[in-house]
Amino acid sequence: DEHVCEIFPEKCGLLTSRRMRAVTVRHLVTMTSGVAFKEAGAVLEGDWVKGFLDADVLFEPGSAFDYNSMNSYMLSAIVKRKTGLGLSAYLRPRLFEPLGFADVAWETCPLGTEKGGWGMYVRLEDALKLGLVYLNGGVWHTPQGDVRIFSQEWAQEATAQKTARPETGEGYAYQIWADDARGIYLFNGMFGQYV
């Protein structure tokens, strides 16, 4: 529930809108920030965090769903700000190594931060591993025994529907498509990369 402007105070100023100052990490994770800065705008922007924080906010944060991959980029930038590590370096010992991922490549912005919401290259079987960990409530089963990757509470919270697209009713949780009524959730990547 931390405000994004509190995480990047040097990039917010007198002209930062009231709505932008209301955007929280939870709004980013649930695609309810309402920020108008999208991937197309990033093409002309050297500092994506600044471009995001200077952008219009189309509605009160948290009041509606609007899928925007730049929300995911901001989450990546927040991990880097909070930990001093890029997203790949942060996830390597916590997720990639315990699950035995092969090489992972991730495209970055002009300032070197992983894009977060796109541009990640992993093997199909490694994407499957992440899906299995969620299905197993945060546990990875190995021949040597079970390894807890994240808590069962997180697995449940992250996959529970928080909002929905008004035009289709498609549900969304924490960076994961979710439909509580049917008891399903989905990692939906570009060009039909589904888990």
Side-chain angles (χ1 to χ4, degrees), residues 61 75-76 113 122 167:
L75 293 169
S76 178
T113 299
V122 298
E167 61 276 10

Side-chain angles (χ1 to χ4, degrees), residues 51-89:
F52 187 91
L53 295 171
D54 285 347
D56 290 336
V57 180
L58 305 174
F59 50 78
E60 280 300 320
S63 67
F65 176 87
D66 180 41
Y67 190 90
N68 180 354
S69 292
M70 294 307 292
N71 288 328
S72 305
Y73 166 77
M74 288 299 292
L75 293 169
S76 178
I78 289 168
V79 167
K80 192 170 189 175
R81 171 58 59 100
K82 293 286 193 173
T83 68
L85 299 172
L87 198 51
S88 294

Side-chain angles (χ1 to χ4, degrees), residues 3-194:
H3 290 92
V4 178
C5 279
E6 292 172 0
I7 300 169
F8 299 103
E10 76 286 1
K11 302 214 185 241
C12 295
L14 290 173
L15 300 178
T16 303
S17 73
R18 178 194 59 77
R19 283 184 175 173
M20 181 56 75
R21 290 184 183 284
V23 173
T24 66
V25 172
R26 185 179 306 271
H27 297 137
L28 301 175
V29 135
T30 59
M31 297 290 175
T32 59
S33 73
V35 176
F37 186 69
K38 300 207 176 191
E39 291 172 61
V43 172
L44 301 174
E45 178 64 56
D47 183 340
W48 292 6
V49 171
K50 181 79 171 131
F52 187 91
L53 295 171
D54 285 347
D56 290 336
V57 180
L58 305 174
F59 50 78
E60 280 300 320
S63 67
F65 176 87
D66 180 41
Y67 190 90
N68 180 354
S69 292
M70 294 307 292
N71 288 328
S72 305
Y73 166 77
M74 288 299 292
L75 293 169
S76 178
I78 289 168
V79 167
K80 192 170 189 175
R81 171 58 59 100
K82 293 286 193 173
T83 68
L85 299 172
L87 198 51
S88 294
Y90 181 80
L91 291 175
R92 190 170 297 114
R94 293 165 175 83
L95 186 69
F96 300 153
E97 288 173 359
L99 297 183
F101 273 39
D103 291 335
V104 175
W106 216 324
E107 296 173 8
T108 62
C109 75
L111 297 179
T113 299
E114 285 93 344
K115 292 180 178 177
W118 72 102
M120 180 185 189
Y121 300 89
V122 298
R123 293 185 177 169
L124 180 62
E125 57 267 27
D126 292 336
L128 172 65
K129 291 172 185 177
L130 184 58
L132 287 171
V133 168
Y134 270 95
L135 286 173
N136 293 327
V139 173
W140 177 238
H141 300 300
T142 73
Q144 296 76 32
D146 292 348
V147 177
R148 178 149 300 279
I149 304 297
F150 46 80
S151 71
Q152 182 171 356
E153 293 77 21
W154 174 257
Q156 291 169 340
E157 178 68 17
T159 58
Q161 184 175 332
K162 308 291 186 275
T163 187
R165 278 191 171 153
E167 61 276 10
T168 64
E170 292 172 286
Y172 203 74
Y174 290 164
Q175 301 284 288
I176 298 170
W177 294 94
D179 183 339
D180 286 355
R182 295 190 298 167
I184 61 172
Y185 51 89
L186 169 74
F187 306 156
N188 181 347
M190 191 175 214
F191 306 122
Q193 300 173 69
Y194 301 125

